[in-house]
Amino acid sequence: GAGVSQTPSNKVTEKGKYVELRCDPISGHTALYWYRQSLGQGPEFLIYFQGTGAADDSGLPNDRFFAVRPEGSVSTLKIQRTERGDSAVYLCASSLQGLGETQYFGPGTRLLVL
Amino acid sequence: AQTVTQSQPEMSVQEAETVTLSCTYDTSESNYYLFWYKQPPSRQMILVIRQEAYKQQNATENRFSVNFQKAAKSFSLKISDSQLGDTAMYFCAFMNNDMRFGAGTRLTVKP
C-alpha cells in the first residue's frame, strides 16, 4: 500500500482480556515506531524497531505490553490483562531508515477497555 | 529528558490571515530534529514541516514556515493565508534518541 496501515481501526475489549494491534509499514521502511495517544495529549513513544529487533523499548509502560516484528515488516503490539487505563489511540509510524528520518504515521487503532 | 511545551491549547484565525503557533523545548543535545505535525479529526498525523538543528536557515513549505531559534530553544510555526482545511490539532515534536511530542494546539480557521 501507499501508506502505513493499522488494523483494527477500533477495538473494544473487556478489562483483563488480551489484545493485538497490527501495523503494516510503508514498503521498504526499515524503522517502525509505536506510540500511544491519550485523549487531549500528544503521542507518547512506546517502542522503536530497526529491522526485526527492538532498538529502544524504553517507552513500554510495563511488562503487560510487548511488541514484535518477526520479519522486519509487519509489527504487532500485544497487550495482556488489559486495564481501563490502557484505553487510548495507538499510533504506528515508519521511516525509511532510523532516527532522524521523517516518520510517516498510520491512522491509529482506538482501543477502549471496558 | 527532553520536553516539548506548546503553551497555546487553542488558537483561532480568520481565513486568509496569518497565525503563529508556539513551541519550546528543553534539551542538552546539540544535534536533533524538530517537526510540526498536523492531526485532523481523521486521526492521521501528517507531516507539515521539518527542521534539522544544524541548519541555521528556517525551513519553509509553501504557506508554512518556521522560526527556529536554537539558543532560545524555540520552534514556532507560521501559517500564512490560512485555509479552512488547516483546521486541526498541531503537534510540535523533538527527535534525538526518540520522538517527543508537545500536548498540541487546536487551531480553528474561521470563514
Side-chain angles (χ1 to χ4, degrees):
Chain A
V4 178
S5 61
Q6 292 185 246
T7 54
S9 54
N10 294 281
K11 176 71 178 178
V12 180
T13 191
E14 293 179 345
K15 180 175 177 292
K17 299 288 188 182
Y18 168 82
V19 296
E20 289 190 351
L21 312 179
R22 176 189 167 108
C23 172
D24 205 332
I26 293 172
S27 178
H29 280 195
T30 63
L32 185 145
Y33 311 80
W34 283 100
Y35 295 87
R36 178 169 68 177
Q37 186 176 22
S38 300
L39 193 63
Q41 301 294 319
E44 173 191 6
F45 169 78
L46 296 177
I47 187 169
Y48 153 50
F49 285 92
Q50 184 59 255
T52 60
D56 182 354
D57 65 357
S58 61
L60 294 177
N62 51 59
D63 62 6
R64 295 187 298 104
F65 288 74
F66 189 70
V68 295
R69 194 185 185 201
E71 297 179 357
S73 178
V74 171
S75 176
T76 305
L77 178 65
K78 308 180 180 191
I79 310 174
Q80 299 177 321
R81 304 183 303 280
T82 51
E83 299 177 357
R84 292 194 179 89
D86 298 335
S87 296
V89 174
Y90 289 82
L91 296 170
C92 175
S94 70
S95 65
L96 187 59
Q97 296 181 20
L99 294 171
E101 300 262 339
T102 296
Q103 296 181 20
Y104 297 90
F105 283 79
T109 294
R110 183 181 299 279
L111 175 66
L112 178 61
V113 182
L114 300 176
Chain B
Q2 291 87 359
T3 58
V4 180
T5 302
Q6 293 180 248
S7 59
Q8 305 151 314
E10 294 189 19
M11 295 275 288
S12 64
V13 63
Q14 290 297 131
E15 194 176 7
E17 293 189 348
T18 295
V19 63
T20 298
L21 308 184
S22 301
C23 173
T24 59
Y25 57 93
D26 184 25
T27 185
S28 58
E29 302 291 336
S30 57
N31 294 319
Y32 50 86
Y33 303 84
L34 295 162
F35 303 84
W36 278 97
Y37 279 90
K38 168 185 176 181
Q39 188 177 42
S42 66
R43 288 201 311 245
Q44 184 102 34
M45 296 278 279
I46 302 164
L47 177 70
V48 174
I49 201 162
R50 164 197 169 104
Q51 174 83 42
E52 291 85 354
Y54 62 84
K55 290 186 177 179
Q56 293 186 339
Q57 186 172 5
N58 289 324
T60 63
E61 284 289 339
N62 301 313
R63 298 183 296 107
F64 300 88
S65 62
V66 298
N67 183 4
F68 173 47
Q69 301 290 328
K70 191 172 184 179
K73 297 178 184 175
S74 171
F75 183 62
S76 61
L77 174 70
K78 184 171 83 171
I79 306 174
S80 304
D81 186 25
S82 297
Q83 301 177 359
L84 297 177
D86 295 335
T87 293
M89 284 290 292
Y90 285 81
F91 292 97
C92 177
F94 170 101
M95 179 194 285
N96 178 246
N97 292 321
D98 57 28
M99 184 93 103
R100 303 276 172 158
F101 287 83
T105 295
R106 183 178 303 280
L107 176 67
T108 302
V109 180
K110 298 179 178 180

